Structure formats: C-alpha cells, structure tokens
Amino acid sequence: MNIPLCLPENITPEIFLRDYWQKKPLLIRNGLPQIVGLFEPQDIIDLAQEEDVTARLIQTHITDEGEKWSLKRSPLQAVDFENLPEKWSVLVQNLEQWSPELGALWQAFSFIPQWQRDDIMVSFAPKGGSVGKHYDEYDVFLVQGYGHRRWQLGKWCDPSTEFKPNQPIRIFDDMGELVLDEVLAPGDVLYVPSRLSHYGVAEDDCLTFSFGLRFPNAADLLENLCKTLEHQGESLPNAEFQIPFRLSPQTQPNALLDPKMVTNLKQQLIWLLQNSEQFDGIFTHSVATAVSQRRYELLTGDNEYYPDEVQEVLEAGGWIQQDANVKILYTENPLRIYVNGEWIDELSEAEANLLIRIANGDSISWNKLASKVASQDELELLLDSLCDWLDSGWIVLEEAE
C-alpha cells in the first residue's frame, strides 16, 4: 500500500522543512484519511491491558483544592477501567508494534528522515478527557483517527518552564497567547513543533494518534561515544589522541585542581575532536548507533521463513518491505548499515545494496530481486538473507491480494 505524503498540495516537503519544521504549527485537513476506521475506542482499551504493552491511565479528579491528577502505568487490568471519573485518558505507546496497517502510515511522513522516527502513540479519551496543558521535547504530528478533539496551541517553552507542583505528570496552567484553536475531525493532521505548548480536550469519544519524531540529545550521543571508544578506541593512534600534560610553575595550593589547567585540557581535547579523521569515523558510528536505536524492545513472532516459501509468495505477486517497527540507516565512506542500534558488519555487497533499497522505501518484488543478481547462487544467498531478516523482524512479507 503506497501512502501519499500528508502535506497539503500547496506545501512541498521543501516548503514545510523551510517554513514550518520546528518553527510553527501546521493544520492539514484530511491529511491522512487512511487512518480512519483502523481502530475504535474499545480496541485501545483492550490493547492497553495486554502483556508487553506500554500504557498509561491518566485520571482527573475534581477536589475542593482544584484538579488532582493520577497516573497508573502498565500493566493495566480490567478493574483499572472501572469506576473512572468523568475525565480520563489512556495512552498506548509503540502502537506500530501491534498494527502493521498503522505502521505503514509512516510513509505519509517520509519527508522526514526515518532515523528521527520515535514511535506512534494513541490517546483515547471520552468527552472532556485530556492530559493537561504541556509541551514535548520532540516534534509530533497529531492525527485524529476517531471522534473529535479540540487543540489549543500557545507559547514556546524551555527547560525553565515551571510545572504544577505535586502532580504525577508535567502540566502547567499558563499557555500564553493562543496561536491556534481548532477542532480536529477524523483524518485531520496537526503538526506541533518541539517545545510548543499544547492542550487537547476530547469533544466526544476520540482517538488521537501521535507520530513522534526525536533528535538525539547530548547525553545519548556522549553515552554512545563512550561505548564506541571502549570498543574501537584502539583504532586511534595513541600519539594523536593523547592529550599532552604540560606542567606550569606551581602557583596554586598543592592539592588544588587548577581551573586554568582544566581549561587548557578542554581546549586541547576540542582541538583534537575537530582535527582527527579517525575521531570523525568514531563519532559518525556513535551517532548512527544512537539515532537508529528503538526506545521499545522489538517483539518478534514465532514464524520461521524458508527460501522456497518466500520465493513462492514473491512469484505470486507479493513483495518485501521494511517493517515499520524497525529503524534502518546507512552511512557512506565507509558504507555501513545499522539496524536498531547495531552495525550489521557481515553483509555482502548484494545484501547491502538490497537492504539499502528496502530502507529507502522500495518494495521488493520478484522481478526487482531477480533482475539485480549476477547468478543463481547470489539469488539463493539473497533469499536466505531475506529469511533471516524476516525472522529478525526487520522486514515483512506481503502477499498479493
């Protein structure tokens, strides 16, 4: 199933990235009609109670002191959905793990590199339900799948923004001047940049799907850099990567760590990072492993695939494509392919080329597969590889209708 981009006809990907991305919101009426009918509220309530599902139940209680919020995380049970207050919401993360049809809708946002994909979250709320006024540290496309939700967008926030005390979720009261106040109907899409305050309230029983997009933060990159240096640090020539320790006349107390010396070491380290070709490769590897990681464990099925079975499906008009649960990316010079935070370093040239085509959104039919091989032996090798990738959950095999 080919899903067109969700952007309006008058806004190209170039215009969106130039004028809207991380700058201002965009409301797209009927931008993703394919989501309508995929789920109903009871589907999400039932799914939230399943094992291995990451879910949250948020309730709003009205007291003499005002609103009091409560939060319960998974595992959730049927009893948790009894005797609920008038206003509540249930949120389920990583929904593409449970619905390949929903995961396929990532294609509508393919103008954003796939390494920025986080996951698809769904929020169900009855009339009046909400998760409060808040902001997120990631960009998000909010897609209405069922019912209606009113969205208000306000001020830009930052780490100094104060949240309400003694509440289990990060919410606040002051959204500043509103820049948008609209009700979304099924199929509508609303882009909300990172750190822009927003507030969604259900107009009736409604499902809102959040297609989240993240950048790695400094802690992620440094953590992966340290892991890379631990395993690949020997590739750096000691003479280049050593920071020379230069003593100067001791004018400070003997036990004091001299701030000037710390600054000097910092400057030498920065110079080294900026001028070392070996370090550039290590840092690229660190970034690739960081941005290709999934936040949630990949659940794979018990199916085993065999080459003759795969070939039969492909010859009958089926195709292979990337599983929406998986992040696949590659680097150039040198060519390296990463899947879910791991460098896949034992690929033949044919395997690498095939995996790159799949990662770039190509659906692999039998004709596409057979036309790119040099021999029958290579074709058999690729069929074996496809079976391994299917077993690992990297790709999916779709049968012709």
Side-chain angles (χ1 to χ4, degrees), residues 38-308:
L38 286 184
F39 293 91
E40 294 188 354
Q42 192 60 45
D43 299 328
I44 302 306
I45 294 174
D46 293 342
L47 181 60
Q49 301 170 50
E50 292 288 335
E51 187 179 1
D52 297 322
V53 167
T54 302
R56 292 169 288 165
L57 179 61
I58 298 174
Q59 303 178 47
T60 311
H61 305 272
I62 306 301
T63 69
D64 293 338
E65 290 78 26
E67 291 183 341
K68 182 67 176 178
W69 298 73
S70 66
L71 168 65
K72 182 170 184 181
R73 300 181 183 275
S74 52
L76 301 176
Q77 301 175 346
V79 66
D80 295 317
F81 293 90
E82 299 175 0
N83 302 316
L84 291 169
E86 181 180 355
K87 299 178 181 181
W88 60 277
S89 299
V90 61
L91 292 75
V92 177
Q93 301 283 163
N94 192 30
L95 202 64
E96 60 266 59
Q97 178 76 81
W98 311 100
S99 172
E101 296 82 8
L102 181 66
L105 299 187
W106 271 119
Q107 296 176 53
F109 310 99
S110 59
F111 50 92
I112 307 293
Q114 70 159 291
W115 62 261
Q116 293 186 38
R117 295 178 188 172
D118 190 19
D119 75 320
I120 304 173
M121 182 189 76
V122 63
S123 170
F124 165 69
K127 183 177 181 179
S130 174
V131 295
K133 300 171 182 176
H134 66 286
Y135 75 92
D136 298 311
E137 294 283 0
Y138 54 88
D139 296 82
V140 65
F141 289 91
L142 301 169
V143 184
Q144 197 64 25
Y146 183 98
H148 303 77
R149 192 183 294 259
R150 179 185 180 186
W151 285 101
Q152 295 178 322
L153 278 56
K155 68 180 181 181
W156 292 93
C157 302
D158 58 43
S160 67
T161 301
E162 293 187 6
F163 297 101
K164 296 177 70 171
N166 305 317
Q167 299 289 0
I169 56 177
R170 301 196 317 166
I171 55 175
F172 46 75
D173 291 324
D174 179 21
M175 287 182 55
E177 181 179 354
L178 296 183
V179 298
L180 182 140
D181 189 348
E182 298 282 353
V183 174
L184 268 63
D188 290 345
V189 179
L190 175 62
Y191 165 65
V192 181
S194 173
R195 294 190 176 179
L196 185 64
S197 61
H198 50 284
Y199 180 43
V201 180
E203 297 276 295
D204 45 30
D205 285 2
C206 78
L207 297 175
T208 304
F209 297 82
S210 302
F211 289 73
L213 298 142
R214 288 181 185 268
F215 278 91
N217 57 35
D220 293 332
L221 294 180
L222 288 172
E223 179 182 359
N224 279 271
L225 177 59
C226 290
K227 290 179 181 178
T228 302
L229 287 173
E230 181 179 351
H231 294 96
Q232 298 187 27
E234 67 276 3
S235 64
L236 290 167
N238 287 336
E240 179 183 9
F241 203 65
Q242 277 186 342
I243 303 173
F245 183 78
R246 297 169 183 158
L247 283 174
S248 57
Q250 184 70 31
T251 60
Q252 303 287 348
N254 185 264
L256 176 67
L257 183 61
D258 187 351
K260 292 182 179 179
M261 186 272 291
V262 173
T263 299
N264 180 264
L265 290 176
K266 175 184 174 182
Q267 291 171 344
Q268 292 182 62
L269 178 58
I270 291 173
W271 183 93
L272 177 62
L273 301 185
Q274 292 177 335
N275 293 276
S276 166
E277 292 183 4
Q278 288 88 348
F279 179 82
D280 286 347
I282 283 181
F283 187 69
T284 298
H285 175 80
S286 302
V287 173
T289 55
V291 301
S292 63
Q293 290 175 1
R294 300 180 78 256
R295 278 206 300 151
Y296 301 96
E297 181 180 356
L298 179 66
L299 302 179
T300 58
D302 298 328
N303 295 336
E304 284 191 48
Y305 292 86
Y306 299 93
D308 56 346

Side-chain angles (χ1 to χ4, degrees), residues 317-328:
W319 65 92
I320 291 282
Q321 65 185 33
Q322 180 179 341
D323 192 306
N325 293 295
V326 174
K327 286 186 177 182
I328 306 176

Side-chain angles (χ1 to χ4, degrees), residues 231-232 234 285 289 328-331 334-349 351-352 355 389 394:
H231 294 96
Q232 298 187 27
E234 67 276 3
H285 175 80
T289 55
I328 306 176
L329 60 86
Y330 61 95
T331 62
L335 174 63
R336 288 184 175 182
I337 298 177
Y338 297 80
V339 181
N340 292 344
E342 298 289 335
W343 171 27
I344 311 304
D345 62 345
E346 296 182 355
L347 295 172
S348 67
E349 182 178 354
E351 289 172 317
L355 198 52
W389 301 344
W394 298 358

